[in-house]
Amino acid sequence: MRVLILGGTGDAAELAAKVATIQGLEAITSLAGRTREPSVPLGDLRVGGFGGVAGLASYLRAMQIDLLIDATHPFATQISFNAGDAASEVGVPRLMLIRPPWEKESGDRWIEVDSVEAAAASVANQAQRVFLTVGRQELAAFAHLDKIWFLMRMIDPPTNDALVPPGMILCDRGPFTLNNERQILIHNKIDTIVSKNSGGDATKPKIIAARELGVKVVMVSRPAIPPGEQVTDVDGALAWLFDKLRD
């Protein structure tokens, strides 16, 4: 059986590596291509968009895909909705692998908002030094906040014509350690973190460090996801695959 994994996350890479060891399964991982030097998963790989629902449906047919697992980032909602529509059109069973969001704990100073734009409004006149960790494609929403200094962490630097708020760019890729995140907050005198609620362990240490140091976190809540069968971890996805193999 041939499974298409919509990837770009650590969970997707882990799943692809485990599927590669299962007899009777062949995996193709698809990456959107937004990261210049992505972590390459095991198995076959394709990079780039599909061209909407119609393009993805055509790919599923052309490649004779038997199963589809959407293991994209929790905020990559457009591809998730497209995957749901395309899988339904072609009649391919689909699973969403969605890691749980972080939950607020005692000592957290969270301000929960519904969008990146709302996060920018929240820090305006309320913060002086912000650790911005929402990705390079969201920088423009903060570019007008010229009274705030931003430490902006992302995998790839922004393009030369991008609107960027004042401050410093830090290009780095997780997973990050608690000591690393603690030192970043202390060294740069950070009073506020802006983060998407991505969940998972790779970037959670910044949330723990903020709790320890009393730093505020403006947390962008997850957008709505399409309906469909879900699991929260790689083991759950593997169990689903084994069930399909037995069918």
Side-chain angles (χ1 to χ4, degrees), residues 46-217:
R46 74 170 299 280
V47 178
F50 290 98
V53 174
L56 179 51
S58 295
Y59 182 85
L60 295 175
R61 291 190 185 99
M63 296 300 293
Q64 299 181 322
I65 299 298
D66 298 295
L67 304 168
L68 174 60
I69 297 182
D70 176 4
T72 55
H73 192 277
F75 283 77
T77 53
Q78 187 61 62
I79 182 60
S80 293
F81 277 95
N82 289 352
D85 291 342
S88 178
E89 178 182 328
V90 179
V92 171
R94 165 183 140 268
L95 178 74
M96 290 180 286
L97 169 52
I98 306 173
R99 57 185 181 244
W102 298 314
E103 299 289 344
K104 187 176 181 180
E105 298 184 19
S106 177
D108 284 329
R109 299 177 62 200
W110 285 15
I111 302 168
E112 297 183 76
V113 297
D114 291 332
S115 67
V116 170
E117 291 73 21
S122 179
V123 299
N125 304 315
Q126 300 294 325
Q128 294 180 309
R129 298 180 69 83
V130 173
F131 188 21
L132 188 57
T133 63
V134 294
R136 63 186 172 93
Q137 297 184 75
E138 309 284 10
L139 296 179
F142 301 85
H144 65 289
L145 299 174
D146 56 5
K147 301 289 194 295
I148 300 174
W149 183 87
F150 290 89
L151 176 64
M152 297 159 273
R153 183 165 70 191
M154 61 206 74
I155 295 175
D156 295 322
T159 58
N160 292 333
D161 60 348
L163 291 173
V164 178
M168 186 174 77
I169 302 288
L170 174 61
C171 290
D172 203 356
R173 185 195 302 265
F176 301 106
T177 66
L178 177 57
N179 185 60
N180 175 82
E181 303 299 71
R182 191 187 293 119
Q183 291 304 312
I184 283 178
L185 299 183
I186 294 171
H187 178 75
N188 293 284
K189 299 181 173 63
I190 298 297
D191 57 60
T192 306
I193 294 174
V194 178
S195 174
K196 294 177 177 178
N197 195 336
S198 302
D201 295 330
T203 58
K204 188 177 182 180
K206 67 186 175 189
I207 307 302
I208 300 171
R211 183 186 309 136
E212 289 181 356
L213 298 171
V215 172
K216 288 186 297 184
V217 178

